[in-house]
């Protein structure tokens, strides 16, 4: 397209002035009369040297001739290709596509990530399934992202993660790498996910009979209470094995000790070593007093009682001392006290000697003795003495 009568940008060189409306030589050179230098001004200028054509259009011109021609690319028009073609005026291209006019109509140059006649379609980069090992593909504009399942990494989740790389297992444990996790084989004495816990072998209280458990790495030991032994203090030491009980005493083993049962041996003491006093067995009856001797004992009876052990109640009523049908009641009969006049409560051994007569109506008196005492014994008589000799000591 020829430009003859318009002043285009930078069309005149060397500070010359473009005069619009002149068909020939529109450039007026600076500081010179138009008639003296206009020939030189026009002959020395190339109209295309100032790149007057836009949109990378091709400029055609010759030196000495101020006119030029712009060959516009598709989609642009105008003397300098400064206007978009009429087909692209409506901006038909979407998503930033560039419109170009062509003989067949407007054409769109789409940016990366889009396609279609108007760049209306977004390309799905996940269609090719670039993500591996079950990863999730998420599409973006001209890119995609892979979200890996546990155990994998990398842009395409194609690299297996070595969970043992960080040395998670402690205390010398062996790490086993698995998909998405790891396992630890713990050495003796340790436990836990990472073998971080030392096993307390004393937790189950293995020591018996009051023994104290001492934990150590992978094992334990027991300090036993006195009287027990064994790895678990399970054995009770038999303190009776030395036969410590004398004179036939029976040894009874106990924890950390023993005892001697001296029953029926005639001896007493820790080891049945002491002869038991004869009176300890309380051989005397009816509240009599026992007196020990070297090989025997003596029972001091209350009046009214007799026998070597005061076991005999003297029968004061056997001689029928009460006359005229009177009833004889011995003072030693404790069951009558409080029930019969003359026998008031309480019964006492020091007044158990003698009898009383319960006379029939019309009679009175105390019986034949006149004093109510058997054998003519008076109240001041000494207590009877009876000597007892235990079996085996005669």
């Amino acid at each position: 397209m020829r430009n003859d009568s318009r002043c285009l940008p930078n069309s005149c060189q060397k500070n010359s002035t473009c005069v619009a409306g002149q068909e020939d030589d529109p450039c007026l050179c600076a500081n010179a009369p138009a008639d003296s230098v206009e020939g030189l001004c026009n002959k020395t200028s190339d109209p295309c040297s100032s790149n007057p054509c836009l949109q990378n259009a091709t400029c055609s011109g010759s030196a000495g001739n101020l006119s030029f021609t712009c060959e516009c690319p598709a989609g642009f028009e105008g003397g300098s290709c400064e206007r978009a073609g009429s087909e692209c005026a409506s901006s038909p291209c979407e998503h930033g596509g560039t419109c170009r006019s062509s003989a067949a109509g407007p054409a769109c140059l789409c940016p990366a990530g889009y396609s279609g006649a108007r760049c209306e379609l977004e390309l799905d980069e996940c269609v090719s399934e670039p993500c591996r090992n079950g990863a999730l593909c998420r599409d973006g504009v001209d890119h995609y992202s892979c979200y890996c399942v546990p155990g994998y990494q990398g842009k395409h989740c194609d690299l297996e993660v070595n969970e043992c790389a960080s040395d998670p297992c402690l205390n010398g444990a062996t790490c086993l790498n698995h998909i998405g996790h790891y396992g630890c084989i713990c050495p003796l004495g340790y436990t836990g996910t990472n073998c971080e816990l030392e096993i307390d072998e004393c937790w189950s209280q293995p020591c018996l009979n009051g023994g104290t458990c001492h934990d150590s790495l992978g094992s334990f030991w027991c300090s036993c209470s006195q009287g027990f032994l064994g790895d678990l203090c399970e054995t009770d030491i038999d303190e009776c094995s030395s036969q410590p009980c004398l004179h036939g005493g029976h040894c009874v083993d106990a924890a950390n000790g023993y005892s001697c049962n001296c029953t029926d041996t005639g001896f007493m003491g820790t080891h049945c070593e002491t002869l038991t006093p004869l009176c300890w067995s309380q051989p005397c009856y009816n509240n009599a007093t026992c007196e020990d001797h070297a090989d025997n004992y003596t029972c001091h009876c209350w009046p009214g009682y007799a026998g070597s052990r005061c076991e005999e109640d003297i029968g004061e009523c056997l001689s029928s001392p009460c006359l005229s049908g009177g009833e004889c009641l011995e003072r030693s009969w404790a069951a009558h006290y409080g029930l019969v006049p003359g026998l008031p409560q309480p019964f006492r051994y020091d007044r158990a000697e003698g009898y009383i007569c319960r006379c029939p109506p019309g009679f009175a008196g105390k019986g034949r003795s006149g004093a109510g005492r058997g054998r003519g014994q008076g109240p001041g008589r000494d207590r009877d003495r009876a000597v007892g000799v235990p079996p085996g000591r005669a």
Side-chain angles (χ1 to χ4, degrees):
M1 179 179 292
R2 180 176 178 78
N3 243 320
D4 293 333
S5 60
R6 290 180 297 173
C7 291
L8 298 176
N10 300 321
S11 59
C12 295
Q13 305 297 314
K14 298 181 179 180
N15 295 324
S16 59
T17 302
C18 180
V19 180
Q22 294 187 7
E23 295 182 359
D24 296 325
D25 302 326
C27 293
L28 178 64
C29 295
N31 301 322
D35 55 354
S36 61
V37 294
E38 84 181 340
L40 180 63
C41 178
N42 291 329
K43 289 179 181 179
T44 58
S45 298
D46 182 0
C48 289
S49 62
S50 62
N51 297 321
C53 298
L54 306 177
Q55 309 299 336
N56 292 324
T58 302
C59 181
S60 299
S62 60
N65 188 350
L66 297 179
S67 64
F68 61 89
T69 301
C70 293
E71 296 180 5
C72 299
F76 292 93
E77 62 184 10
S80 299
C81 306
E82 71 277 9
R83 298 192 308 273
S86 59
E87 292 93 348
C88 294
S90 61
S91 301
C93 302
E94 300 179 13
H95 300 110
T98 301
C99 182
R100 294 286 186 269
S101 295
S102 66
C108 294
L109 300 178
C110 299
Y114 293 94
S115 65
R118 297 292 184 269
C119 307
E120 73 278 10
L121 300 176
E122 180 184 349
L123 295 176
D124 186 359
E125 285 80 7
C126 289
V127 170
S128 62
E129 298 181 349
C131 303
R132 306 294 178 83
N133 297 306
L136 174 65
C137 182
R138 180 161 293 178
D139 180 45
V141 178
D142 193 33
H143 74 281
Y144 62 89
S145 300
C146 293
Y147 294 85
C148 306
V149 298
Y152 293 94
Q153 62 183 354
K155 179 179 179 180
H156 297 98
C157 304
D158 52 344
L159 302 177
E160 182 183 347
V161 177
N162 182 7
E163 281 81 7
C164 290
S166 61
D167 293 329
C169 301
L170 306 176
N171 296 307
T174 301
C175 184
L176 300 179
N177 181 42
H178 303 291
I179 301 299
H181 68 282
Y182 65 90
C184 295
I185 300 178
C186 301
L188 182 65
Y190 291 94
T191 186
T193 302
N194 298 315
C195 305
E196 73 279 9
L197 301 175
E198 181 183 349
I199 297 174
D200 183 6
E201 283 78 10
C202 288
W203 180 82
S204 61
Q205 298 179 343
C207 302
L208 306 175
N209 298 306
T212 301
C213 183
H214 303 272
D215 181 43
S216 59
L217 186 59
S219 64
F220 67 94
W221 60 278
C222 298
S223 57
C224 301
S225 302
Q226 290 185 348
F228 295 93
L229 51 78
D231 292 339
L232 302 177
C233 307
E234 72 281 6
T235 302
D236 182 4
I237 299 175
D238 185 7
E239 285 84 3
C240 289
S241 60
S242 62
Q243 298 181 348
C245 301
L246 306 176
H247 301 109
H250 176 64
C251 184
V252 180
D253 183 45
N256 191 33
Y258 64 91
S259 63
C260 293
N261 185 353
C262 306
T263 304
D264 297 330
T265 64
F267 291 85
M268 58 182 292
T270 303
H271 299 96
C272 305
E273 74 280 6
T274 303
L275 186 64
T276 303
L278 298 177
C279 289
W280 276 38
S281 63
Q282 298 181 344
C284 302
Y285 291 94
N286 294 307
N287 204 32
T289 300
C290 183
E291 180 182 357
D292 267 306
H293 303 290
D295 294 322
N296 56 30
Y297 61 90
T298 299
C299 290
H300 297 274
C301 305
W302 287 102
Y305 297 95
S308 61
R309 303 171 68 182
C310 306
E311 73 278 9
E312 179 185 349
D313 181 6
I314 298 174
E316 289 91 351
C317 288
L318 293 178
S319 61
S320 301
C322 299
L323 305 177
S324 303
E327 181 183 5
C328 181
L329 300 173
E330 296 185 12
R331 292 182 179 273
S332 60
W333 295 350
H336 290 77
Y337 277 73
L339 302 177
V340 177
L343 297 177
Q345 287 278 25
F347 169 76
R348 287 169 28 187
Y349 282 100
D350 60 351
R351 61 183 186 183
E353 179 189 17
Y355 63 91
I356 65 171
C357 291
R358 189 159 61 176
C359 300
F363 293 88
K366 296 182 179 180
R368 290 177 179 168
S369 65
R373 297 183 185 274
R375 298 181 183 173
Q377 298 168 339
R381 194 179 75 84
D382 291 338
R383 293 172 59 185
D384 292 338
R385 298 167 62 91
V387 178
V389 179
R393 294 194 184 184

